[in-house]
Amino acid sequence: MKPTIRIEYCPKCGWMLRAAYMAQELLTTFTDDVYGITLQPSEISGRYTIYVDNELVFDRKREGRFPEIKELKQLVRNKVNPEKFLGHSDSK
Amino acid sequence: MKPTIRIEYCPKCGWMLRAAYMAQELLTTFTDDVYGITLQPSEISGRYTIYVDNELVFDRKREGRFPEIKELKQLVRNKVNPEKFLGHSDSK
């Protein structure tokens, strides 16, 4: 079974569009590497966390910011397909 | 556990944006009624199917078309929260 990515977001914070945007970025890059991406409205205020198969890879609370897309793709790549080259998303 | 909606789409057909759009419509309407919505790239060409907890509620192949949003919200509502009134999405 391919991994599932999950983005848990605070809907009251207005982060649904952001979560959906990031899901589309990840689906574009990892079409063949993932089972799917789940968008999950959180009941916890301020929550914006991203998981690969329930393993936390990004937590807005801990980082004090949202992830950059390049960074997020690297984090996900390292879990779902470590050999994958991300092109310009791999440079510094 | 609240129900999970899953949209399985054919990425080679270019239906990712459509699936993401429908997910956002459903998340806007059913924020508190669902656990989440999974976008699943299909390995089957031409696939565009929508499930509520793995129960098929729409199949593009069978219908010969994509669902309208109003129709989709009614189909999902009937499974996840039959009492919910959908406003203008409930009129004919």
Side-chain angles (χ1 to χ4, degrees):
Chain A
M1 186 78 160
K2 293 175 183 175
T4 297
I5 297 165
R6 178 162 52 92
I7 303 176
E8 185 185 340
Y9 67 94
C10 169
K12 286 179 200 131
C13 308
W15 296 342
M16 187 262 281
L17 297 175
R18 186 189 302 254
Y21 160 64
M22 290 193 187
Q24 289 170 83
E25 284 277 1
L26 294 174
L27 283 168
T28 301
T29 300
F30 299 105
T31 312
D32 298 324
D33 300 309
V34 300
Y35 169 76
I37 302 188
T38 302
L39 295 165
Q40 182 197 355
S42 186
E43 286 167 17
I44 300 160
S45 279
R47 177 64 63 96
Y48 196 92
T49 47
I50 302 171
Y51 305 84
V52 176
D53 275 344
N54 294 317
E55 184 187 345
L56 185 69
V57 298
F58 194 93
D59 180 354
R60 180 184 166 278
K61 215 79 176 187
R62 198 167 64 186
E63 303 293 333
R65 58 180 178 83
F66 292 96
E68 288 178 50
I69 290 300
K70 181 191 286 192
E71 172 190 23
L72 179 57
K73 287 187 179 180
Q74 291 173 359
L75 290 168
V76 168
R77 183 268 315 276
N78 295 348
K79 298 290 175 194
V80 306
N81 187 352
E83 307 295 306
K84 192 182 184 90
F85 179 59
L86 292 174
H88 60 270
S89 280
D90 248 334
S91 51
K92 280 283 176 181
Chain B
M1 185 78 162
K2 293 175 182 177
T4 297
I5 298 166
R6 178 163 51 91
I7 304 177
E8 184 185 341
Y9 68 93
C10 169
K12 286 180 200 130
C13 307
W15 295 342
M16 188 263 280
L17 297 175
R18 186 189 305 254
Y21 160 63
M22 290 193 187
Q24 289 170 84
E25 284 277 3
L26 294 174
L27 284 168
T28 300
T29 300
F30 299 104
T31 312
D32 298 324
D33 301 309
V34 299
Y35 168 78
I37 302 190
T38 301
L39 295 165
Q40 181 198 357
S42 185
E43 286 167 16
I44 300 160
S45 278
R47 176 63 65 97
Y48 197 91
T49 48
I50 302 171
Y51 304 84
V52 177
D53 275 344
N54 294 317
E55 184 188 344
L56 185 70
V57 297
F58 194 92
D59 180 352
R60 181 184 166 277
K61 215 77 173 188
R62 197 168 64 187
E63 303 292 334
R65 59 181 178 83
F66 291 97
E68 288 178 52
I69 291 300
K70 179 190 287 192
E71 172 190 21
L72 179 57
K73 288 187 178 178
Q74 291 174 358
L75 290 168
V76 168
R77 185 266 317 274
N78 295 347
K79 297 291 175 193
V80 306
N81 187 352
E83 307 296 305
K84 192 184 184 86
F85 179 59
L86 293 174
H88 60 270
S89 280
D90 248 335
S91 51
K92 280 283 175 179

